[in-house]
Amino acid sequence: MKEIRKDLYQFSVYIPPMDFTIHQYLYAADPAILFAAGTVQQAKSILPDIQKILGDRPLKYIFVSHMESDEAGGVEIFRQAYPELTVLCGQLAARELPGYGYQGSIQAEKGGDTLQDGDLNLRFLSYPAEVHLQNGLLCLEENSGIFYSSDLLLKFGNGVGQTIPGNWNEEVQTIGPDRVVDEKKRNKLKEELLALSPSFAAVGHGYCMKLQ
């Protein structure tokens, strides 16, 4: 666990045979939000640290980008610790989360929706994710400039605790069919992303980026 940016805590697993890093992030704002729940095993591992960071404060939200085990597998572990928890996710994930054993509150969002709550000002973007070609979500926390990119800005390598410089326009322009297969959806997503000005990319896999 590392505070990779003010109030943003990164929890990571590096898999050497794949040269691949998996991250979850706690943004300890008021209210607090976790970007990606991790697998059941990861959720059990990081929960004590999250409880230590938050103290008496609750974890109010988990953001689930799309239905993969590293994004959604551990949601019920967190709900058991924080019964009032709400999962923010897309329409498909909202239907599928009970299959992961989740029994708590779900708030389905779509691209273009926003959520304002205390220190949080979340903007959701439609993410035509490459996984099974399903529709998911990306999320920008506009007050802090933190963009949770899920699998979109994936890079291989040991990214544990690492932040590298990045150029937002260049990162967006290099998004290819390996990330979003459908060309029309890919171009629409690029257009929407280029209208944003995030200052930090909290990636699902690889190296976080301080953006310019």
Side-chain angles (χ1 to χ4, degrees), residues 134-165:
Q134 65 173 282
N135 290 320
L137 290 176
L138 302 169
C139 184
L140 172 65
E141 203 296 295
E142 295 193 289
N143 291 334
S144 63
I146 296 168
F147 177 70
Y148 177 65
S149 66
S150 186
D151 296 357
L152 186 65
L153 304 180
L154 181 153
K155 290 180 173 61
F156 286 88
N158 186 349
V160 177
Q162 302 296 313
T163 300
I164 62 175

mmCIF file of all heavy atoms in Angstrom, residues 134-165:
data_model
loop_
_atom_site.group_PDB
_atom_site.id
_atom_site.type_symbol
_atom_site.label_atom_id
_atom_site.label_comp_id
_atom_site.label_asym_id
_atom_site.label_seq_id
_atom_site.Cartn_x
_atom_site.Cartn_y
_atom_site.Cartn_z
ATOM 1 N N GLN A 134 -18.169 -5.923 -23.726
ATOM 2 C CA GLN A 134 -19.250 -5.401 -22.902
ATOM 3 C C GLN A 134 -19.098 -3.897 -22.694
ATOM 4 O O GLN A 134 -18.035 -3.322 -22.925
ATOM 5 C CB GLN A 134 -19.257 -6.093 -21.542
ATOM 6 C CG GLN A 134 -18.006 -5.805 -20.719
ATOM 7 C CD GLN A 134 -18.106 -6.351 -19.327
ATOM 8 O OE1 GLN A 134 -18.758 -5.769 -18.488
ATOM 9 N NE2 GLN A 134 -17.450 -7.459 -19.070
ATOM 10 N N ASN A 135 -20.174 -3.263 -22.267
ATOM 11 C CA ASN A 135 -20.152 -1.837 -21.975
ATOM 12 C C ASN A 135 -19.887 -1.621 -20.494
ATOM 13 O O ASN A 135 -20.570 -2.186 -19.638
ATOM 14 C CB ASN A 135 -21.482 -1.183 -22.371
ATOM 15 C CG ASN A 135 -21.658 -1.132 -23.868
ATOM 16 O OD1 ASN A 135 -20.706 -0.870 -24.600
ATOM 17 N ND2 ASN A 135 -22.856 -1.404 -24.341
ATOM 18 N N GLY A 136 -18.894 -0.799 -20.199
ATOM 19 C CA GLY A 136 -18.559 -0.471 -18.828
ATOM 20 C C GLY A 136 -18.494 1.035 -18.643
ATOM 21 O O GLY A 136 -19.074 1.802 -19.411
ATOM 22 N N LEU A 137 -17.778 1.453 -17.613
ATOM 23 C CA LEU A 137 -17.646 2.874 -17.298
ATOM 24 C C LEU A 137 -16.205 3.213 -16.957
ATOM 25 O O LEU A 137 -15.455 2.379 -16.429
ATOM 26 C CB LEU A 137 -18.516 3.246 -16.087
ATOM 27 C CG LEU A 137 -20.033 3.258 -16.235
ATOM 28 C CD1 LEU A 137 -20.661 3.555 -14.877
ATOM 29 C CD2 LEU A 137 -20.480 4.285 -17.262
ATOM 30 N N LEU A 138 -15.844 4.446 -17.234
ATOM 31 C CA LEU A 138 -14.634 5.073 -16.726
ATOM 32 C C LEU A 138 -15.067 6.211 -15.817
ATOM 33 O O LEU A 138 -16.224 6.644 -15.867
ATOM 34 C CB LEU A 138 -13.767 5.595 -17.876
ATOM 35 C CG LEU A 138 -13.333 4.551 -18.901
ATOM 36 C CD1 LEU A 138 -12.730 5.222 -20.126
ATOM 37 C CD2 LEU A 138 -12.351 3.564 -18.291
ATOM 38 N N CYS A 139 -14.146 6.725 -15.000
ATOM 39 C CA CYS A 139 -14.556 7.720 -14.011
ATOM 40 C C CYS A 139 -13.486 8.779 -13.811
ATOM 41 O O CYS A 139 -12.303 8.456 -13.622
ATOM 42 C CB CYS A 139 -14.855 7.031 -12.683
ATOM 43 S SG CYS A 139 -15.489 8.135 -11.407
ATOM 44 N N LEU A 140 -13.893 10.037 -13.859
ATOM 45 C CA LEU A 140 -13.036 11.171 -13.518
ATOM 46 C C LEU A 140 -13.566 11.819 -12.256
ATOM 47 O O LEU A 140 -14.745 12.185 -12.185
ATOM 48 C CB LEU A 140 -13.021 12.192 -14.660
ATOM 49 C CG LEU A 140 -12.307 13.521 -14.359
ATOM 50 C CD1 LEU A 140 -10.809 13.302 -14.141
ATOM 51 C CD2 LEU A 140 -12.547 14.527 -15.480
ATOM 52 N N GLU A 141 -12.697 11.957 -11.251
ATOM 53 C CA GLU A 141 -13.036 12.731 -10.061
ATOM 54 C C GLU A 141 -12.555 14.156 -10.340
ATOM 55 O O GLU A 141 -11.364 14.441 -10.319
ATOM 56 C CB GLU A 141 -12.367 12.145 -8.814
ATOM 57 C CG GLU A 141 -13.059 12.510 -7.513
ATOM 58 C CD GLU A 141 -13.028 13.991 -7.199
ATOM 59 O OE1 GLU A 141 -11.925 14.517 -6.988
ATOM 60 O OE2 GLU A 141 -14.101 14.634 -7.185
ATOM 61 N N GLU A 142 -13.497 15.034 -10.628
ATOM 62 C CA GLU A 142 -13.140 16.326 -11.201
ATOM 63 C C GLU A 142 -12.491 17.282 -10.204
ATOM 64 O O GLU A 142 -11.696 18.135 -10.600
ATOM 65 C CB GLU A 142 -14.377 16.975 -11.831
ATOM 66 C CG GLU A 142 -14.895 16.165 -13.019
ATOM 67 C CD GLU A 142 -15.911 16.906 -13.852
ATOM 68 O OE1 GLU A 142 -17.048 17.088 -13.365
ATOM 69 O OE2 GLU A 142 -15.561 17.306 -14.977
ATOM 70 N N ASN A 143 -12.800 17.176 -8.927
ATOM 71 C CA ASN A 143 -12.191 18.090 -7.955
ATOM 72 C C ASN A 143 -10.690 17.854 -7.812
ATOM 73 O O ASN A 143 -9.917 18.805 -7.656
ATOM 74 C CB ASN A 143 -12.866 17.950 -6.583
ATOM 75 C CG ASN A 143 -14.289 18.470 -6.591
ATOM 76 O OD1 ASN A 143 -14.641 19.331 -7.387
ATOM 77 N ND2 ASN A 143 -15.128 17.931 -5.712
ATOM 78 N N SER A 144 -10.285 16.600 -7.855
ATOM 79 C CA SER A 144 -8.868 16.249 -7.709
ATOM 80 C C SER A 144 -8.148 16.080 -9.040
ATOM 81 O O SER A 144 -6.916 16.071 -9.087
ATOM 82 C CB SER A 144 -8.735 14.952 -6.908
ATOM 83 O OG SER A 144 -9.346 13.875 -7.618
ATOM 84 N N GLY A 145 -8.905 15.874 -10.117
ATOM 85 C CA GLY A 145 -8.307 15.593 -11.416
ATOM 86 C C GLY A 145 -7.875 14.149 -11.589
ATOM 87 O O GLY A 145 -7.171 13.818 -12.543
ATOM 88 N N ILE A 146 -8.301 13.268 -10.689
ATOM 89 C CA ILE A 146 -7.918 11.857 -10.764
ATOM 90 C C ILE A 146 -8.832 11.117 -11.743
ATOM 91 O O ILE A 146 -10.055 11.114 -11.587
ATOM 92 C CB ILE A 146 -8.001 11.185 -9.376
ATOM 93 C CG1 ILE A 146 -6.986 11.815 -8.421
ATOM 94 C CG2 ILE A 146 -7.755 9.676 -9.488
ATOM 95 C CD1 ILE A 146 -7.192 11.407 -6.973
ATOM 96 N N PHE A 147 -8.223 10.499 -12.736
ATOM 97 C CA PHE A 147 -8.957 9.717 -13.739
ATOM 98 C C PHE A 147 -8.656 8.242 -13.510
ATOM 99 O O PHE A 147 -7.501 7.817 -13.610
ATOM 100 C CB PHE A 147 -8.539 10.135 -15.144
ATOM 101 C CG PHE A 147 -9.195 9.340 -16.245
ATOM 102 C CD1 PHE A 147 -10.548 9.480 -16.513
ATOM 103 C CD2 PHE A 147 -8.450 8.465 -17.020
ATOM 104 C CE1 PHE A 147 -11.157 8.751 -17.531
ATOM 105 C CE2 PHE A 147 -9.046 7.739 -18.043
ATOM 106 C CZ PHE A 147 -10.401 7.882 -18.292
ATOM 107 N N TYR A 148 -9.690 7.452 -13.176
ATOM 108 C CA TYR A 148 -9.505 6.013 -13.062
ATOM 109 C C TYR A 148 -9.733 5.396 -14.436
ATOM 110 O O TYR A 148 -10.852 5.400 -14.956
ATOM 111 C CB TYR A 148 -10.450 5.399 -12.027
ATOM 112 C CG TYR A 148 -10.304 3.898 -11.978
ATOM 113 C CD1 TYR A 148 -9.111 3.326 -11.557
ATOM 114 C CD2 TYR A 148 -11.325 3.058 -12.405
ATOM 115 C CE1 TYR A 148 -8.940 1.949 -11.555
ATOM 116 C CE2 TYR A 148 -11.170 1.682 -12.398
ATOM 117 C CZ TYR A 148 -9.970 1.137 -11.971
ATOM 118 O OH TYR A 148 -9.794 -0.227 -11.980
ATOM 119 N N SER A 149 -8.662 4.847 -15.002
ATOM 120 C CA SER A 149 -8.697 4.420 -16.401
ATOM 121 C C SER A 149 -8.989 2.937 -16.579
ATOM 122 O O SER A 149 -9.062 2.473 -17.730
ATOM 123 C CB SER A 149 -7.373 4.753 -17.082
ATOM 124 O OG SER A 149 -6.312 3.996 -16.533
ATOM 125 N N SER A 150 -9.114 2.189 -15.471
ATOM 126 C CA SER A 150 -9.382 0.766 -15.588
ATOM 127 C C SER A 150 -8.351 0.117 -16.517
ATOM 128 O O SER A 150 -7.160 0.322 -16.362
ATOM 129 C CB SER A 150 -10.813 0.534 -16.057
ATOM 130 O OG SER A 150 -11.155 -0.823 -16.052
ATOM 131 N N ASP A 151 -8.793 -0.634 -17.529
ATOM 132 C CA ASP A 151 -7.873 -1.325 -18.442
ATOM 133 C C ASP A 151 -7.460 -0.468 -19.636
ATOM 134 O O ASP A 151 -6.642 -0.903 -20.450
ATOM 135 C CB ASP A 151 -8.531 -2.596 -18.977
ATOM 136 C CG ASP A 151 -8.829 -3.623 -17.901
ATOM 137 O OD1 ASP A 151 -8.482 -3.375 -16.742
ATOM 138 O OD2 ASP A 151 -9.431 -4.666 -18.235
ATOM 139 N N LEU A 152 -8.007 0.723 -19.760
ATOM 140 C CA LEU A 152 -7.858 1.487 -20.995
ATOM 141 C C LEU A 152 -6.410 1.902 -21.265
ATOM 142 O O LEU A 152 -5.950 1.852 -22.409
ATOM 143 C CB LEU A 152 -8.749 2.736 -20.942
ATOM 144 C CG LEU A 152 -8.810 3.560 -22.227
ATOM 145 C CD1 LEU A 152 -9.464 2.756 -23.353
ATOM 146 C CD2 LEU A 152 -9.571 4.861 -21.992
ATOM 147 N N LEU A 153 -5.677 2.328 -20.247
ATOM 148 C CA LEU A 153 -4.300 2.805 -20.409
ATOM 149 C C LEU A 153 -3.314 1.765 -19.907
ATOM 150 O O LEU A 153 -2.254 2.097 -19.380
ATOM 151 C CB LEU A 153 -4.107 4.135 -19.682
ATOM 152 C CG LEU A 153 -5.065 5.258 -20.093
ATOM 153 C CD1 LEU A 153 -4.766 6.535 -19.299
ATOM 154 C CD2 LEU A 153 -4.992 5.539 -21.595
ATOM 155 N N LEU A 154 -3.643 0.511 -20.103
ATOM 156 C CA LEU A 154 -2.846 -0.616 -19.620
ATOM 157 C C LEU A 154 -1.424 -0.585 -20.170
ATOM 158 O O LEU A 154 -1.200 -0.341 -21.346
ATOM 159 C CB LEU A 154 -3.544 -1.914 -20.007
ATOM 160 C CG LEU A 154 -2.923 -3.252 -19.610
ATOM 161 C CD1 LEU A 154 -4.034 -4.293 -19.484
ATOM 162 C CD2 LEU A 154 -1.893 -3.735 -20.630
ATOM 163 N N LYS A 155 -0.470 -0.848 -19.261
ATOM 164 C CA LYS A 155 0.928 -1.044 -19.653
ATOM 165 C C LYS A 155 1.478 -2.224 -18.862
ATOM 166 O O LYS A 155 1.120 -2.430 -17.707
ATOM 167 C CB LYS A 155 1.758 0.214 -19.368
ATOM 168 C CG LYS A 155 1.443 1.398 -20.261
ATOM 169 C CD LYS A 155 2.322 2.595 -19.894
ATOM 170 C CE LYS A 155 2.138 3.741 -20.897
ATOM 171 N NZ LYS A 155 0.755 4.241 -20.930
ATOM 172 N N PHE A 156 2.351 -2.996 -19.482
ATOM 173 C CA PHE A 156 3.008 -4.082 -18.779
ATOM 174 C C PHE A 156 4.184 -3.533 -17.976
ATOM 175 O O PHE A 156 4.642 -2.410 -18.201
ATOM 176 C CB PHE A 156 3.463 -5.159 -19.772
ATOM 177 C CG PHE A 156 2.327 -5.986 -20.307
ATOM 178 C CD1 PHE A 156 1.627 -5.587 -21.446
ATOM 179 C CD2 PHE A 156 1.938 -7.154 -19.667
ATOM 180 C CE1 PHE A 156 0.568 -6.334 -21.928
ATOM 181 C CE2 PHE A 156 0.883 -7.913 -20.143
ATOM 182 C CZ PHE A 156 0.195 -7.499 -21.276
ATOM 183 N N GLY A 157 4.654 -4.324 -17.018
ATOM 184 C CA GLY A 157 5.760 -3.913 -16.177
ATOM 185 C C GLY A 157 5.348 -3.843 -14.725
ATOM 186 O O GLY A 157 4.165 -3.907 -14.381
ATOM 187 N N ASN A 158 6.348 -3.725 -13.855
ATOM 188 C CA ASN A 158 6.112 -3.629 -12.416
ATOM 189 C C ASN A 158 5.828 -2.180 -12.059
ATOM 190 O O ASN A 158 6.728 -1.375 -11.866
ATOM 191 C CB ASN A 158 7.325 -4.153 -11.647
ATOM 192 C CG ASN A 158 7.068 -4.214 -10.149
ATOM 193 O OD1 ASN A 158 6.071 -3.688 -9.650
ATOM 194 N ND2 ASN A 158 7.955 -4.870 -9.425
ATOM 195 N N GLY A 159 4.541 -1.850 -11.972
ATOM 196 C CA GLY A 159 4.129 -0.475 -11.696
ATOM 197 C C GLY A 159 3.814 -0.207 -10.241
ATOM 198 O O GLY A 159 3.211 0.824 -9.919
ATOM 199 N N VAL A 160 4.213 -1.091 -9.339
ATOM 200 C CA VAL A 160 3.881 -0.920 -7.926
ATOM 201 C C VAL A 160 4.511 0.365 -7.391
ATOM 202 O O VAL A 160 5.733 0.528 -7.399
ATOM 203 C CB VAL A 160 4.352 -2.126 -7.094
ATOM 204 C CG1 VAL A 160 4.056 -1.888 -5.608
ATOM 205 C CG2 VAL A 160 3.690 -3.401 -7.576
ATOM 206 N N GLY A 161 3.664 1.297 -6.967
ATOM 207 C CA GLY A 161 4.145 2.539 -6.375
ATOM 208 C C GLY A 161 4.830 3.480 -7.346
ATOM 209 O O GLY A 161 5.444 4.465 -6.923
ATOM 210 N N GLN A 162 4.690 3.223 -8.640
ATOM 211 C CA GLN A 162 5.411 4.010 -9.643
ATOM 212 C C GLN A 162 4.501 5.031 -10.322
ATOM 213 O O GLN A 162 3.385 4.707 -10.729
ATOM 214 C CB GLN A 162 6.011 3.091 -10.714
ATOM 215 C CG GLN A 162 6.950 2.038 -10.174
ATOM 216 C CD GLN A 162 8.181 2.630 -9.535
ATOM 217 O OE1 GLN A 162 8.834 3.516 -10.099
ATOM 218 N NE2 GLN A 162 8.504 2.171 -8.339
ATOM 219 N N THR A 163 5.000 6.244 -10.460
ATOM 220 C CA THR A 163 4.310 7.287 -11.224
ATOM 221 C C THR A 163 5.268 7.829 -12.270
ATOM 222 O O THR A 163 6.400 8.193 -11.957
ATOM 223 C CB THR A 163 3.843 8.439 -10.312
ATOM 224 O OG1 THR A 163 2.937 7.927 -9.332
ATOM 225 C CG2 THR A 163 3.128 9.517 -11.121
ATOM 226 N N ILE A 164 4.811 7.861 -13.503
ATOM 227 C CA ILE A 164 5.638 8.364 -14.597
ATOM 228 C C ILE A 164 4.951 9.574 -15.226
ATOM 229 O O ILE A 164 3.742 9.752 -15.069
ATOM 230 C CB ILE A 164 5.871 7.269 -15.665
ATOM 231 C CG1 ILE A 164 4.540 6.825 -16.286
ATOM 232 C CG2 ILE A 164 6.624 6.079 -15.063
ATOM 233 C CD1 ILE A 164 4.703 5.829 -17.441
ATOM 234 N N PRO A 165 5.696 10.429 -15.914
ATOM 235 C CA PRO A 165 5.052 11.542 -16.617
ATOM 236 C C PRO A 165 4.274 11.035 -17.823
ATOM 237 O O PRO A 165 4.639 10.026 -18.439
ATOM 238 C CB PRO A 165 6.233 12.422 -17.045
ATOM 239 C CG PRO A 165 7.406 11.512 -17.081
ATOM 240 C CD PRO A 165 7.165 10.463 -16.034
#
